[in-house]
Amino acid sequence: ELKVEQNPLFLSMQEGKNYTIYCNYSTTSDRLYWYRQDPGKSLESLFVLLSNGAVKQEGRLMASLDTKARLSTLHITAAVHDLSATYFCAVNDMRFGAGTRLTVKP
Amino acid sequence: DTGVSQDPRHKITKRGQNVTFRCDPISEHNRLYWYRQTLGQGPEFLTYFQNEAQLEKSRLLSDRFSAERPKGSFSTLEIQRTEQGDSAMYLCASSLFLRVYNEQFFGPGTRLTVL
């Protein structure tokens, strides 16, 4: 059975700092997605990664995919409070990790 | 609003009652997904449709759960004889499935509370 593991599950960071969230998965996949969820809200698509070595960037977030290592990363650069949310990765369209709850403190 | 809509947004019911939720996807999308999400967890896949065909059901989907998408447009998810463990947020998502690309767009969810 496909397993999707994210770490850390909780992340508290200072504004202006950098950090990386990791998403490991247990079987081959040619598509990986990152979503954001704000408290009490639904999920918003952030990135779609379709091939080995794919890198996508939007603002202070950058996502990458290494299909050989079965690993995706979501890198946060110079965090700001507005990035506080829960971030999910999803593999094979429908299998989600448990999420990383990010809190950015001033 | 041309996004995914769900109705109702909140449902409170007593144990043993039946409930039905509706999802209206983005109009040109051919795939529709149902997920369940409990507090602090990621969405758990329940089932999905391509047009009107139900292509996959999760083992989580017990005999009490049934979903339909009769004309390949809106979908309904019914839970019979609800249990307290069914309390969760039920999310619907739709996508325009292409062979190498399948970005999902999520609705606001239906929060179910079973008393």
Side-chain angles (χ1 to χ4, degrees), chain A residues 1 31 33 35 37 40-43 45 48 50 88 93-99 101, chain B residues 33 35 37 40-43 45 48 56 59 91 97 99-104 106-107:
Chain A
E1 182 180 337
R31 291 195 286 263
Y33 304 82
Y35 293 88
Q37 187 175 38
K41 305 287 186 182
S42 193
L43 281 78
S45 177
V48 181
L50 300 176
F88 295 98
D93 299 340
M94 301 172 289
R95 271 59 182 183
F96 283 74
R101 187 175 299 176
Chain B
Y33 302 80
Y35 297 88
Q37 186 178 27
Q41 299 297 315
F45 167 74
Y48 85 94
E56 186 174 344
R59 286 192 295 271
L91 296 169
F97 176 74
R99 190 175 61 84
V100 294
Y101 190 85
N102 190 31
E103 183 181 14
Q104 295 179 45
F106 281 80

Side-chain angles (χ1 to χ4, degrees), chain A residues 1 30 58 73-75 86 88 99:
Chain A
E1 182 180 337
D30 56 3
E58 179 74 32
T73 61
L74 182 65
H75 186 73
T86 300
F88 295 98

Side-chain angles (χ1 to χ4, degrees), chain B residues 3 10 24-25 32-33 39 47 53 69 74 78 84 95 98 115:
Chain B
H10 303 274
D24 286 90
L32 186 148
Y33 302 80
L39 195 62
T47 188
R69 193 183 184 197
F74 73 93
E78 181 183 15
Q84 288 185 326
S95 70
L98 302 172
L115 301 176

